[in-house]
Protein backbone atom coordinates (compact mmCIF):
# COMPACT_ATOMS: atom_id res chain seq x y z
CA UNK A 1 0.00 0.00 0.00
CA UNK A 2 2.83 2.43 0.87
CA UNK A 3 4.85 2.20 -2.35
CA UNK A 4 1.62 1.78 -4.35
CA UNK A 5 0.44 5.10 -2.99
CA UNK A 6 3.72 6.66 -4.13
CA UNK A 7 2.43 6.29 -7.71
CA UNK A 8 2.56 9.83 -9.08
CA UNK A 9 -0.98 11.21 -9.02
CA UNK A 10 -2.37 8.64 -6.59
CA UNK A 11 -3.44 9.41 -3.06
CA UNK A 12 -5.88 7.27 -1.11
CA UNK A 13 -8.37 8.67 1.35
CA UNK A 14 -8.57 7.45 4.94
CA UNK A 15 -11.63 5.31 4.03
CA UNK A 16 -9.96 4.13 0.82
CA UNK A 17 -6.92 2.87 2.75
CA UNK A 18 -9.12 1.07 5.23
CA UNK A 19 -11.18 -0.57 2.48
CA UNK A 20 -8.02 -1.66 0.72
CA UNK A 21 -6.47 -3.01 3.93
CA UNK A 22 -9.56 -5.17 4.55
CA UNK A 23 -9.42 -6.46 0.99
CA UNK A 24 -5.68 -7.29 1.24
CA UNK A 25 -6.40 -9.15 4.45
CA UNK A 26 -9.21 -11.10 2.74
CA UNK A 27 -6.78 -11.86 -0.10
CA UNK A 28 -4.39 -13.37 2.42
CA UNK A 29 -1.35 -11.07 2.21
CA UNK A 30 1.09 -11.64 5.11
CA UNK A 31 2.16 -8.04 5.64
CA UNK A 32 0.45 -4.81 4.69
CA UNK A 33 2.81 -1.85 4.60
CA UNK A 34 0.07 0.60 5.53
CA UNK A 35 2.09 3.82 5.23
CA UNK A 36 4.83 6.14 6.36
CA UNK A 37 3.39 7.43 9.68
CA UNK A 38 5.79 10.36 10.16
CA UNK A 39 4.93 11.84 6.77
CA UNK A 40 1.61 13.45 7.83
CA UNK A 41 -1.04 13.46 10.54
CA UNK A 42 -3.55 11.85 8.17
CA UNK A 43 -1.08 9.13 7.22
CA UNK A 44 -0.34 8.43 10.90
CA UNK A 45 -4.06 8.16 11.69
CA UNK A 46 -4.75 5.85 8.73
CA UNK A 47 -1.91 3.52 9.75
CA UNK A 48 -3.06 3.44 13.38
CA UNK A 49 -6.69 2.82 12.34
CA UNK A 50 -5.60 -0.09 10.13
CA UNK A 51 -3.35 -1.45 12.90
CA UNK A 52 -6.34 -1.41 15.28
CA UNK A 53 -8.58 -3.19 12.78
CA UNK A 54 -7.69 -6.64 14.12
CA UNK A 55 -6.71 -8.05 10.72
CA UNK A 56 -4.85 -11.32 10.25
CA UNK A 57 -2.23 -9.60 8.08
CA UNK A 58 0.64 -7.96 10.00
CA UNK A 59 0.55 -4.18 9.73
CA UNK A 60 3.85 -2.54 8.92
CA UNK A 61 4.92 1.12 9.03
CA UNK A 62 7.82 2.65 7.10
CA UNK A 63 10.54 4.68 8.84
CA UNK A 64 13.95 6.22 8.15
CA UNK A 65 16.70 5.30 10.64
CA UNK A 66 15.62 8.31 12.66
CA UNK A 67 14.15 8.16 16.20
CA UNK A 68 11.21 10.48 15.43
CA UNK A 69 10.14 8.24 12.51
CA UNK A 70 10.45 5.06 14.53
CA UNK A 71 8.52 6.58 17.45
CA UNK A 72 5.70 7.55 15.10
CA UNK A 73 5.52 3.93 13.84
CA UNK A 74 5.42 2.64 17.42
CA UNK A 75 2.69 5.16 18.34
CA UNK A 76 0.73 3.95 15.32
CA UNK A 77 0.81 0.48 16.97
CA UNK A 78 2.23 -1.33 13.92
CA UNK A 79 3.26 -4.97 14.29
CA UNK A 80 6.39 -4.53 12.15
CA UNK A 81 8.66 -1.49 11.67
CA UNK A 82 10.35 -1.25 8.27
CA UNK A 83 13.46 0.94 8.49
CA UNK A 84 15.48 1.89 5.44
CA UNK A 85 18.62 3.80 4.56
CA UNK A 86 20.43 4.49 1.29
CA UNK A 87 23.53 2.35 0.84
CA UNK A 88 24.68 3.16 -2.71
CA UNK A 89 27.43 5.74 -3.18
CA UNK A 90 25.31 7.89 -5.49
CA UNK A 91 22.43 8.18 -3.00
CA UNK A 92 24.73 8.61 0.02
CA UNK A 93 26.68 11.40 -1.74
CA UNK A 94 23.64 13.36 -2.87
CA UNK A 95 21.03 12.72 -0.21
CA UNK A 96 22.06 11.57 3.26
CA UNK A 97 25.74 12.67 3.07
CA UNK A 98 27.00 10.45 5.94
CA UNK A 99 29.97 8.11 6.26
CA UNK A 100 29.57 4.34 5.86
CA UNK A 101 30.47 3.83 9.52
CA UNK A 102 27.90 6.34 10.68
CA UNK A 103 25.20 4.68 8.53
CA UNK A 104 26.04 1.21 9.87
CA UNK A 105 26.02 2.38 13.49
CA UNK A 106 22.74 4.29 13.18
CA UNK A 107 21.08 1.35 11.37
CA UNK A 108 22.13 -1.12 14.07
CA UNK A 109 21.08 1.28 16.86
CA UNK A 110 17.69 1.72 15.20
CA UNK A 111 17.19 -2.05 15.09
CA UNK A 112 18.04 -2.35 18.79
CA UNK A 113 15.70 0.53 19.65
CA UNK A 114 12.78 -1.11 17.84
CA UNK A 115 13.52 -4.53 19.32
CA UNK A 116 13.76 -2.99 22.82
CA UNK A 117 10.13 -1.95 22.31
CA UNK A 118 9.23 -5.57 21.62
CA UNK A 119 8.37 -4.98 17.95
CA UNK A 120 9.81 -6.97 15.02
CA UNK A 121 12.03 -5.11 12.56
CA UNK A 122 12.60 -5.23 8.79
CA UNK A 123 15.69 -3.49 7.41
CA UNK A 124 16.09 -2.27 3.80
CA UNK A 125 19.38 -1.29 2.24
CA UNK A 126 17.94 1.17 -0.26
CA UNK A 127 19.45 0.95 -3.77
CA UNK A 128 21.05 -2.38 -2.83
CA UNK A 129 21.55 -3.35 -6.47
CA UNK A 130 23.86 -0.34 -6.98
CA UNK A 131 25.64 -0.76 -3.64
CA UNK A 132 29.20 -2.07 -3.30
CA UNK A 133 28.83 -5.76 -2.29
CA UNK A 134 31.27 -5.44 0.67
CA UNK A 135 29.26 -2.57 2.16
CA UNK A 136 26.01 -4.47 1.64
CA UNK A 137 27.42 -7.52 3.47
CA UNK A 138 28.74 -5.27 6.24
CA UNK A 139 25.45 -3.43 6.91
CA UNK A 140 23.33 -6.58 6.69
CA UNK A 141 25.76 -8.31 9.09
CA UNK A 142 25.49 -5.40 11.54
CA UNK A 143 21.68 -5.30 11.59
CA UNK A 144 21.55 -9.09 11.90
CA UNK A 145 23.77 -8.89 14.94
CA UNK A 146 21.57 -6.14 16.38
CA UNK A 147 18.60 -8.57 16.26
CA UNK A 148 16.86 -7.62 13.02
CA UNK A 149 14.18 -10.13 11.93
CA UNK A 150 14.06 -9.61 8.16
CA UNK A 151 16.48 -8.00 5.71
CA UNK A 152 15.31 -6.58 2.42
CA UNK A 153 17.24 -6.20 -0.84
CA UNK A 154 15.57 -3.43 -2.83
CA UNK A 155 16.19 -2.96 -6.53
CA UNK A 156 15.20 0.66 -6.01
CA UNK A 157 15.73 1.92 -9.55
CA UNK A 158 14.86 -1.34 -11.30
CA UNK A 159 18.26 -2.00 -12.89
CA UNK A 160 18.68 -5.65 -11.87
CA UNK A 161 18.40 -8.49 -14.38
CA UNK A 162 17.19 -11.90 -13.19
CA UNK A 163 20.54 -13.73 -13.42
CA UNK A 164 22.52 -11.03 -11.57
CA UNK A 165 19.77 -10.56 -8.99
CA UNK A 166 19.76 -14.32 -8.38
CA UNK A 167 23.49 -14.21 -7.60
CA UNK A 168 23.17 -11.19 -5.32
CA UNK A 169 20.25 -12.66 -3.34
CA UNK A 170 22.03 -16.00 -3.05
CA UNK A 171 25.18 -14.32 -1.75
CA UNK A 172 23.21 -12.37 0.87
CA UNK A 173 21.25 -15.47 1.89
CA UNK A 174 24.57 -17.33 2.37
CA UNK A 175 26.20 -14.49 4.31
CA UNK A 176 23.23 -13.95 6.65
CA UNK A 177 22.34 -17.58 7.34
CA UNK A 178 19.13 -17.92 9.35
CA UNK A 179 17.74 -14.52 8.39
CA UNK A 180 14.54 -14.16 6.40
CA UNK A 181 15.48 -12.44 3.14
CA UNK A 182 12.97 -10.18 1.43
CA UNK A 183 13.12 -8.38 -1.94
CA UNK A 184 11.54 -5.22 -3.31
CA UNK A 185 11.78 -4.82 -7.08
CA UNK A 186 10.94 -1.81 -9.20
CA UNK A 187 9.82 -2.15 -12.77
CA UNK A 188 11.82 0.43 -14.72
CA UNK A 189 12.83 -2.17 -17.32
CA UNK A 190 9.72 -4.36 -16.97
CA UNK A 191 11.71 -6.94 -14.99
CA UNK A 192 10.28 -6.52 -11.49
CA UNK A 193 8.29 -9.77 -11.52
CA UNK A 194 11.08 -11.75 -13.22
CA UNK A 195 13.59 -10.46 -10.69
CA UNK A 196 11.27 -11.31 -7.78
CA UNK A 197 10.85 -14.86 -9.06
CA UNK A 198 14.62 -15.24 -9.46
CA UNK A 199 15.08 -13.99 -5.91
CA UNK A 200 12.77 -16.68 -4.57
CA UNK A 201 14.71 -19.29 -6.55
CA UNK A 202 17.89 -17.96 -4.89
CA UNK A 203 16.44 -18.25 -1.37
CA UNK A 204 14.34 -15.13 -0.67
CA UNK A 205 11.26 -16.01 1.34
CA UNK A 206 9.34 -12.75 1.21
CA UNK A 207 8.51 -10.58 -1.78
CA UNK A 208 7.23 -7.02 -1.63
CA UNK A 209 4.64 -6.36 -4.31
CA UNK A 210 1.87 -3.91 -5.14
CA UNK A 211 -1.61 -4.44 -6.51
CA UNK A 212 -1.64 -3.70 -10.26
CA UNK A 213 2.12 -3.05 -10.08
CA UNK A 214 1.58 0.52 -8.83
CA UNK A 215 4.43 2.44 -7.22
CA UNK A 216 7.10 5.05 -7.85
CA UNK A 217 7.82 5.69 -11.56
CA UNK A 218 7.12 2.45 -13.49
CA UNK A 219 5.92 0.81 -10.30
CA UNK A 220 6.78 -2.32 -8.35
CA UNK A 221 6.47 -6.06 -8.94
CA UNK A 222 2.81 -6.80 -9.62
CA UNK A 223 1.12 -8.84 -6.89
CA UNK A 224 -1.09 -10.98 -9.15
CA UNK A 225 1.69 -11.78 -11.62
CA UNK A 226 4.22 -12.58 -8.89
CA UNK A 227 1.81 -14.81 -6.98
CA UNK A 228 0.64 -16.72 -10.04
CA UNK A 229 4.23 -17.01 -11.31
CA UNK A 230 5.30 -18.42 -7.96
CA UNK A 231 2.39 -20.82 -7.64
CA UNK A 232 1.75 -21.91 -11.20
CA UNK A 233 5.26 -21.84 -12.67
CA UNK A 234 7.46 -22.58 -9.66
CA UNK A 235 5.06 -24.70 -7.62
CA UNK A 236 5.78 -22.46 -4.62
CA UNK A 237 3.20 -21.90 -1.92
CA UNK A 238 1.84 -18.56 -0.82
CA UNK A 239 -0.98 -17.65 1.54
CA UNK A 240 -2.84 -15.77 -1.19
CA UNK A 241 -6.42 -16.80 -1.96
CA UNK A 242 -5.92 -16.38 -5.66
CA UNK A 243 -9.66 -16.40 -6.44
CA UNK A 244 -9.75 -12.81 -5.10
CA UNK A 245 -6.98 -11.49 -7.36
CA UNK A 246 -9.26 -9.95 -9.99
CA UNK A 247 -11.61 -8.53 -7.36
CA UNK A 248 -8.65 -6.89 -5.60
CA UNK A 249 -7.19 -5.51 -8.82
CA UNK A 250 -10.56 -3.96 -9.73
CA UNK A 251 -10.96 -2.44 -6.27
CA UNK A 252 -7.55 -0.78 -6.60
CA UNK A 253 -8.42 0.39 -10.11
CA UNK A 254 -11.54 2.08 -8.68
CA UNK A 255 -9.80 3.56 -5.62
CA UNK A 256 -6.80 4.93 -7.51
CA UNK A 257 -8.46 5.65 -10.87
CA UNK A 258 -5.45 4.03 -12.57
CA UNK A 259 -6.84 1.81 -15.32
CA UNK A 260 -5.77 -1.83 -15.62
CA UNK A 261 -4.51 -2.28 -19.22
CA UNK A 262 -6.68 -4.62 -21.34
CA UNK A 263 -3.69 -6.88 -21.88
CA UNK A 264 -2.49 -6.96 -18.27
CA UNK A 265 -1.50 -10.54 -17.33
CA UNK A 266 -3.79 -12.43 -14.92
CA UNK A 267 -6.28 -9.65 -14.21
CA UNK A 268 -6.63 -7.70 -17.50
CA UNK A 269 -9.93 -7.85 -19.38
CA UNK A 270 -8.22 -9.81 -22.18
CA UNK A 271 -6.20 -12.19 -19.97
CA UNK A 272 -8.48 -15.10 -20.89
CA UNK A 273 -10.13 -13.70 -24.05
CA UNK A 274 -9.76 -15.37 -27.42
CA UNK A 275 -10.53 -13.93 -30.82
CA UNK A 276 -8.81 -15.79 -33.62
CA UNK A 277 -10.71 -18.68 -35.19
CA UNK A 278 -7.86 -21.13 -34.52
CA UNK A 279 -7.48 -20.16 -30.86
CA UNK A 280 -11.21 -19.98 -30.15
CA UNK A 281 -11.85 -23.34 -31.78
CA UNK A 282 -9.02 -24.89 -29.76
CA UNK A 283 -10.16 -23.37 -26.48
CA UNK A 284 -13.77 -24.46 -27.05
CA UNK A 285 -12.48 -28.05 -27.48
CA UNK A 286 -9.98 -27.87 -24.61
CA UNK A 287 -8.95 -24.66 -22.87
CA UNK A 288 -5.38 -25.90 -22.40
CA UNK A 289 -4.75 -25.66 -26.15
CA UNK A 290 -4.32 -21.89 -26.04
CA UNK A 291 -4.12 -21.09 -22.33
CA UNK A 292 -1.36 -21.95 -19.86
CA UNK A 293 -3.48 -24.61 -18.17
CA UNK A 294 -1.56 -24.23 -14.91
CA UNK A 295 -3.46 -20.96 -14.51
CA UNK A 296 -7.19 -20.89 -15.28
CA UNK A 297 -9.65 -17.99 -15.13
CA UNK A 298 -11.44 -19.66 -12.20
CA UNK A 299 -8.20 -19.76 -10.17
CA UNK A 300 -7.89 -15.98 -10.24
CA UNK A 301 -11.56 -15.00 -10.18
CA UNK A 302 -11.69 -14.18 -13.90
CA UNK A 303 -13.77 -15.52 -16.78
CA UNK A 304 -12.99 -16.89 -20.22
CA UNK A 305 -14.41 -14.97 -23.18
CA UNK A 306 -14.68 -15.71 -26.83
CA UNK A 307 -14.58 -12.32 -28.53
CA UNK A 308 -15.94 -11.99 -32.03
CA UNK A 309 -14.02 -10.04 -34.64
CA UNK A 310 -12.54 -10.32 -38.11
CA UNK A 311 -10.43 -13.34 -37.11
CA UNK A 312 -13.42 -15.24 -35.75
CA UNK A 313 -14.35 -18.71 -36.95
CA UNK A 314 -17.74 -20.39 -37.03
CA UNK A 315 -17.20 -22.51 -33.89
CA UNK A 316 -16.76 -19.38 -31.82
CA UNK A 317 -19.79 -17.64 -33.34
CA UNK A 318 -21.93 -20.72 -32.72
CA UNK A 319 -20.84 -20.91 -29.09
CA UNK A 320 -21.44 -17.22 -28.45
CA UNK A 321 -24.85 -17.34 -30.10
CA UNK A 322 -25.91 -20.41 -28.16
CA UNK A 323 -24.81 -18.69 -24.95
CA UNK A 324 -27.21 -15.83 -25.66
CA UNK A 325 -30.04 -18.10 -26.71
CA UNK A 326 -29.91 -18.35 -30.50
CA UNK A 327 -29.91 -21.62 -32.39
CA UNK A 328 -28.90 -20.73 -35.95
CA UNK A 329 -28.84 -23.29 -38.75
CA UNK A 330 -25.74 -23.62 -40.95
CA UNK A 331 -26.88 -21.08 -43.48
CA UNK A 332 -27.77 -18.51 -40.81
CA UNK A 333 -24.47 -19.15 -39.06
CA UNK A 334 -22.60 -18.50 -42.28
CA UNK A 335 -24.48 -15.22 -42.82
CA UNK A 336 -23.88 -14.04 -39.23
CA UNK A 337 -20.16 -14.85 -39.52
CA UNK A 338 -20.02 -12.92 -42.79
CA UNK A 339 -21.64 -9.83 -41.20
CA UNK A 340 -19.37 -9.98 -38.13
CA UNK A 341 -16.25 -10.14 -40.29
CA UNK A 342 -17.52 -7.25 -42.40
CA UNK A 343 -17.76 -5.06 -39.27
CA UNK A 344 -14.31 -6.25 -38.13
CA UNK A 345 -12.83 -5.43 -41.55
CA UNK A 346 -13.99 -1.83 -41.12
CA UNK A 347 -11.72 -1.68 -38.07
CA UNK A 348 -14.63 -1.60 -35.64
CA UNK A 349 -15.06 -3.51 -32.41
CA UNK A 350 -17.95 -5.95 -32.21
CA UNK A 351 -19.83 -5.65 -28.95
CA UNK A 352 -22.18 -8.26 -27.51
CA UNK A 353 -25.04 -5.95 -28.44
CA UNK A 354 -23.88 -5.88 -32.09
CA UNK A 355 -23.86 -9.68 -32.10
CA UNK A 356 -27.40 -9.76 -30.72
CA UNK A 357 -28.59 -7.25 -33.30
CA UNK A 358 -27.08 -9.30 -36.14
CA UNK A 359 -28.50 -12.53 -34.72
CA UNK A 360 -31.94 -10.93 -34.30
CA UNK A 361 -31.88 -9.81 -37.89
CA UNK A 362 -30.71 -13.17 -39.26
CA UNK A 363 -32.26 -15.73 -36.91
CA UNK A 364 -35.07 -13.91 -35.10
CA UNK A 365 -35.87 -14.15 -31.42
CA UNK A 366 -34.11 -16.19 -28.73
CA UNK A 367 -35.20 -19.83 -28.84
CA UNK A 368 -38.26 -20.27 -26.61
CA UNK A 369 -36.92 -23.30 -24.80
CA UNK A 370 -34.01 -21.26 -23.46
CA UNK A 371 -35.99 -18.33 -22.12
CA UNK A 372 -36.15 -17.98 -18.34
CA UNK A 373 -39.35 -15.92 -18.58
CA UNK A 374 -42.11 -16.70 -21.11
CA UNK A 375 -44.78 -14.03 -21.07
CA UNK A 376 -48.35 -15.40 -21.16
CA UNK A 377 -50.81 -12.62 -20.38
CA UNK A 378 -50.56 -9.00 -19.61
CA UNK A 379 -52.95 -6.16 -18.62
CA UNK A 380 -52.48 -2.53 -17.62
CA UNK A 381 -55.00 -0.19 -16.02
CA UNK A 382 -54.35 3.47 -16.43
CA UNK A 383 -56.27 6.73 -16.69
CA UNK A 384 -56.39 10.04 -14.82
CA UNK A 385 -55.64 8.25 -11.56
CA UNK A 386 -52.55 8.79 -9.46
CA UNK A 387 -51.07 5.39 -10.23
CA UNK A 388 -51.20 2.81 -13.00
CA UNK A 389 -51.47 -0.90 -12.29
CA UNK A 390 -49.96 -3.69 -14.36
CA UNK A 391 -50.63 -7.41 -14.01
CA UNK A 392 -48.43 -9.99 -15.71
CA UNK A 393 -48.78 -13.73 -15.98
CA UNK A 394 -45.70 -15.64 -17.06
CA UNK A 395 -43.93 -18.94 -16.91
CA UNK A 396 -40.75 -18.32 -14.89
CA UNK A 397 -38.32 -21.24 -15.20
CA UNK A 398 -41.24 -23.67 -15.58
CA UNK A 399 -43.36 -22.16 -12.82
CA UNK A 400 -46.57 -20.24 -13.56
CA UNK A 401 -46.51 -16.84 -11.81
CA UNK A 402 -48.91 -13.90 -11.70
CA UNK A 403 -47.76 -10.56 -10.37
CA UNK A 404 -49.18 -7.06 -10.15
CA UNK A 405 -47.47 -3.79 -9.40
CA UNK A 406 -48.16 -0.10 -9.50
CA UNK A 407 -46.16 2.70 -11.08
CA UNK A 408 -46.21 6.34 -12.00
CA UNK A 409 -47.38 5.40 -15.48
CA UNK A 410 -48.27 2.26 -17.43
CA UNK A 411 -44.71 1.52 -18.54
CA UNK A 412 -43.31 2.00 -15.04
CA UNK A 413 -45.98 -0.29 -13.56
CA UNK A 414 -45.32 -2.93 -16.23
CA UNK A 415 -41.56 -2.83 -15.79
CA UNK A 416 -41.92 -3.24 -12.01
CA UNK A 417 -44.32 -6.16 -12.43
CA UNK A 418 -41.95 -7.97 -14.81
CA UNK A 419 -38.95 -7.41 -12.54
CA UNK A 420 -41.07 -8.67 -9.66
CA UNK A 421 -41.39 -12.01 -11.44
CA UNK A 422 -37.74 -12.65 -10.65
CA UNK A 423 -38.16 -11.89 -6.96
CA UNK A 424 -37.50 -8.76 -4.95
CA UNK A 425 -33.79 -9.39 -4.72
CA UNK A 426 -33.17 -9.29 -8.46
CA UNK A 427 -29.89 -7.57 -9.19
CA UNK A 428 -31.00 -6.67 -12.71
CA UNK A 429 -31.32 -2.93 -13.22
CA UNK A 430 -32.98 -1.01 -16.02
CA UNK A 431 -30.28 1.13 -17.65
CA UNK A 432 -31.70 2.34 -20.91
CA UNK A 433 -35.19 2.95 -22.18
CA UNK A 434 -35.90 4.51 -25.54
CA UNK A 435 -39.02 4.76 -27.65
CA UNK A 436 -38.89 5.53 -31.33
CA UNK A 437 -41.89 5.91 -33.63
CA UNK A 438 -41.32 3.92 -36.79
CA UNK A 439 -44.39 5.16 -38.70
CA UNK A 440 -46.56 8.28 -38.29
CA UNK A 441 -50.15 8.66 -37.06
CA UNK A 442 -51.94 7.56 -33.90
CA UNK A 443 -51.55 3.92 -34.99
CA UNK A 444 -47.79 4.40 -35.37
CA UNK A 445 -45.58 1.41 -34.82
CA UNK A 446 -43.41 2.17 -31.79
CA UNK A 447 -40.01 0.61 -31.34
CA UNK A 448 -38.87 0.26 -27.75
CA UNK A 449 -35.21 -0.37 -26.91
CA UNK A 450 -34.42 -1.47 -23.39
CA UNK A 451 -31.01 -1.98 -21.81
CA UNK A 452 -30.52 -3.89 -18.57
CA UNK A 453 -27.45 -4.46 -16.42
CA UNK A 454 -26.51 -7.05 -13.80
CA UNK A 455 -24.47 -6.49 -10.65
CA UNK A 456 -21.20 -7.37 -12.50
CA UNK A 457 -21.85 -4.46 -14.87
CA UNK A 458 -22.77 -6.75 -17.77
CA UNK A 459 -25.20 -4.97 -20.10
CA UNK A 460 -27.51 -6.26 -22.79
CA UNK A 461 -30.27 -4.65 -24.76
CA UNK A 462 -33.30 -5.84 -26.65
CA UNK A 463 -35.92 -4.23 -28.78
CA UNK A 464 -39.52 -4.80 -29.74
CA UNK A 465 -41.83 -2.99 -32.12
CA UNK A 466 -45.63 -2.80 -31.69
CA UNK A 467 -48.51 -0.37 -32.03
CA UNK A 468 -49.02 -0.68 -28.29
CA UNK A 469 -46.17 1.09 -26.58
CA UNK A 470 -46.66 -0.68 -23.25
CA UNK A 471 -46.75 -4.09 -24.89
CA UNK A 472 -43.56 -3.28 -26.82
CA UNK A 473 -41.88 -2.17 -23.56
CA UNK A 474 -42.81 -5.36 -21.74
CA UNK A 475 -41.67 -7.58 -24.60
CA UNK A 476 -38.35 -5.75 -24.91
CA UNK A 477 -37.79 -5.91 -21.17
CA UNK A 478 -38.58 -9.62 -20.97
CA UNK A 479 -36.28 -10.39 -23.86
CA UNK A 480 -33.42 -8.27 -22.41
CA UNK A 481 -33.77 -10.00 -19.03
CA UNK A 482 -33.83 -13.41 -20.73
CA UNK A 483 -30.59 -12.60 -22.54
CA UNK A 484 -28.89 -11.39 -19.40
CA UNK A 485 -29.89 -14.53 -17.50
CA UNK A 486 -28.63 -16.73 -20.34
CA UNK A 487 -25.32 -14.87 -20.38
CA UNK A 488 -24.95 -15.31 -16.62
CA UNK A 489 -25.81 -19.00 -16.85
CA UNK A 490 -23.27 -19.44 -19.62
CA UNK A 491 -20.60 -17.61 -17.65
CA UNK A 492 -20.08 -14.87 -20.27
O1 LIG B 1 12.33 1.35 -3.53
C1 LIG B 1 12.80 1.29 -2.40
O2 LIG B 1 13.98 1.08 -2.18
C2 LIG B 1 11.87 1.48 -1.29
C3 LIG B 1 12.43 1.27 0.07
C4 LIG B 1 11.80 2.14 1.09
C5 LIG B 1 12.34 -0.18 0.43
O3 LIG B 1 10.68 1.70 -1.49
ZN1 LIG C 1 10.20 1.19 -3.60
Amino acid sequence: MRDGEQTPGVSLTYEGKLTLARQLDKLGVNVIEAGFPVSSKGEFESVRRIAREGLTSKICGLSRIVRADIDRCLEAEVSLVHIFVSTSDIQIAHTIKKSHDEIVTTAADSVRYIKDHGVPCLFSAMDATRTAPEFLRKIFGAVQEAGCDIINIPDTVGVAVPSAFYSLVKEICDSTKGMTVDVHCHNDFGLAVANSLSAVEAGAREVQVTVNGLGERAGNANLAETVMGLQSLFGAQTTIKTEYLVETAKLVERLTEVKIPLTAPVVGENAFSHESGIHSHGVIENSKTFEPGVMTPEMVGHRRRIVLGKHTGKHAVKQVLEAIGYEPNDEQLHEILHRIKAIGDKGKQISDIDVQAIADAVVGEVAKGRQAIILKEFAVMTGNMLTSTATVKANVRGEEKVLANIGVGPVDAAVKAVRGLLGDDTSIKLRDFRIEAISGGSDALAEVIIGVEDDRGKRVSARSAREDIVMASVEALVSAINRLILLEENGR
Side-chain angles (χ1 to χ4, degrees):
M1 199 187 280
R2 188 272 308 168
D3 213 320
E5 223 188 331
Q6 283 177 221
T7 307
V10 167
S11 175
L12 296 177
T13 60
Y14 180 85
E15 288 76 26
K17 287 186 83 143
L18 194 57
T19 307
L20 178 54
R22 291 189 186 126
Q23 179 70 22
L24 295 175
D25 187 56
K26 172 177 166 190
L27 182 67
V29 308
N30 309 89
V31 179
I32 298 171
E33 188 164 273
F36 195 178
V38 82
S39 63
S40 77
K41 190 163 175 287
E43 180 80 344
F44 167 78
E45 271 157 14
S46 305
V47 177
R48 188 172 57 178
R49 176 74 180 83
I50 294 169
R52 288 181 176 173
E53 191 61 14
L55 303 176
T56 306
S57 311
K58 282 199 191 97
I59 305 304
C60 169
L62 185 70
S63 163
R64 289 166 298 182
I65 49 171
V66 170
R67 283 288 154 92
D69 286 29
I70 299 173
D71 287 340
R72 222 45 189 144
C73 281
L74 298 172
E75 280 167 48
E77 301 166 24
V78 298
S79 41
L80 178 70
V81 180
H82 176 186
I83 50 170
F84 70 97
V85 65
S86 295
T87 51
S88 65
D89 288 345
I90 175 101
Q91 289 195 357
I92 293 173
H94 296 279
T95 61
I96 54 173
K97 301 178 179 158
K98 291 205 166 100
S99 72
H100 279 191
D101 285 348
E102 221 179 324
I103 292 170
V104 172
T105 310
T106 319
D109 284 349
S110 301
V111 172
R112 276 188 287 271
Y113 183 70
I114 295 164
K115 296 295 289 183
D116 285 349
H117 284 81
V119 178
C121 176
L122 156 67
F123 172 79
S124 283
M126 187 151 80
D127 209 8
T129 47
R130 293 191 302 175
T131 298
E134 322 77 68
F135 184 47
L136 207 52
R137 276 197 301 273
K138 183 169 175 191
I139 196 156
F140 281 143
V143 295
Q144 180 174 26
E145 223 179 280
C148 190
D149 302 274
I150 307 157
I151 50 165
N152 179 42
I153 311 173
D155 181 25
T156 302
V157 292
V159 288
V161 296
S163 52
F165 201 51
Y166 176 97
S167 306
L168 175 65
V169 173
K170 182 138 189 12
E171 195 192 318
I172 301 295
C173 286
D174 290 344
S175 70
T176 57
K177 277 247 160 347
M179 280 288 264
T180 300
V181 172
D182 184 15
V183 292
H184 173 109
C185 298
H186 276 273
N187 205 29
D188 299 69
F189 288 88
L191 291 171
V193 172
N195 286 330
S196 303
L197 298 180
S198 273
V200 172
E201 263 194 303
R205 286 297 165 263
E206 290 191 2
V207 186
Q208 299 189 3
V209 290
T210 58
V211 179
N212 298 344
L214 295 178
E216 284 280 354
R217 306 181 312 281
N220 290 68
N222 177 302
L223 179 145
E225 295 167 29
T226 307
V227 167
M228 292 316 293
L230 284 173
Q231 295 199 180
S232 296
L233 301 177
F234 286 74
Q237 287 194 340
T238 75
T239 52
I240 298 298
K241 299 184 187 86
T242 58
E243 65 275 20
Y244 298 127
L245 284 172
V246 169
E247 183 182 288
T248 308
K250 288 200 168 148
L251 172 73
V252 169
E253 179 181 51
R254 266 203 316 281
L255 292 175
T256 60
E257 293 177 19
V258 178
K259 278 243 151 278
I260 303 171
L262 272 182
T263 51
V266 187
V267 300
E269 184 60 22
N270 285 358
F272 299 92
S273 296
H274 306 270
E275 193 205 290
S276 93
I278 296 168
H279 285 224
S280 302
H281 183 192
V283 165
I284 290 167
E285 294 294 318
N286 180 339
S287 61
K288 288 188 185 147
T289 50
F290 288 98
E291 280 178 16
V294 286
M295 174 173 74
T296 64
E298 295 75 27
M299 276 179 189
V300 300
H302 214 321
R303 70 192 195 295
R304 180 172 298 114
R305 281 194 323 148
I306 303 293
V307 178
L308 303 183
K310 68 176 176 185
H311 304 111
T312 295
K314 73 173 188 297
H315 289 91
V317 176
K318 191 159 188 282
Q319 206 209 34
V320 169
L321 290 177
E322 283 174 359
I324 54 174
Y326 296 93
E327 287 163 1
N329 60 31
D330 278 353
E331 202 182 327
Q332 290 166 334
L333 191 61
H334 188 79
E335 176 58 24
I336 295 171
L337 183 62
H338 173 74
R339 294 192 193 190
I340 287 171
K341 282 179 182 278
I343 299 179
D345 276 339
K346 286 189 191 132
K348 292 195 183 141
Q349 283 205 346
I350 294 132
S351 69
D352 284 359
I353 290 178
D354 293 329
V355 177
Q356 285 165 26
I358 296 171
D360 270 352
V362 177
V363 185
E365 266 308 302
V366 170
K368 273 255 179 327
R370 308 204 55 195
Q371 295 178 6
I373 305 176
I374 300 169
L375 196 63
K376 298 276 190 199
E377 288 169 24
F378 167 72
V380 179
M381 257 183 33
T382 191
N384 61 350
M385 307 176 260
L386 277 180
T387 50
S388 299
T389 313
T391 311
V392 282
K393 182 171 171 188
N395 183 305
V396 182
R397 295 198 171 92
E399 198 190 324
E400 201 89 333
K401 285 194 176 175
V402 182
L403 215 126
N405 213 328
I406 53 168
V408 291
V411 173
D412 186 46
V415 164
K416 285 180 179 157
V418 172
R419 287 186 44 181
L421 291 171
L422 292 171
D424 286 342
D425 59 342
T426 177
S427 58
I428 297 176
K429 290 185 187 61
L430 189 65
R431 282 286 178 240
D432 192 17
F433 183 90
R434 273 178 293 140
I435 303 176
E436 281 161 24
I438 297 178
S439 51
S442 59
D443 59 349
L445 201 58
E447 186 177 35
V448 175
I449 299 127
I450 278 188
V452 292
E453 185 184 299
D454 68 8
D455 54 359
R456 294 177 307 157
K458 183 83 200 162
R459 283 186 185 207
V460 297
S461 72
R463 60 183 73 215
S464 174
R466 284 196 175 253
E467 283 155 2
D468 181 332
I469 254 181
V470 181
M471 194 64 217
S473 307
V474 171
E475 277 183 0
L477 178 67
V478 167
S479 100
I481 291 177
N482 278 332
R483 280 178 186 161
L484 198 56
I485 293 173
L486 268 172
L487 280 178
E488 280 171 3
E489 285 172 359
N490 289 297
R492 277 189 50 87

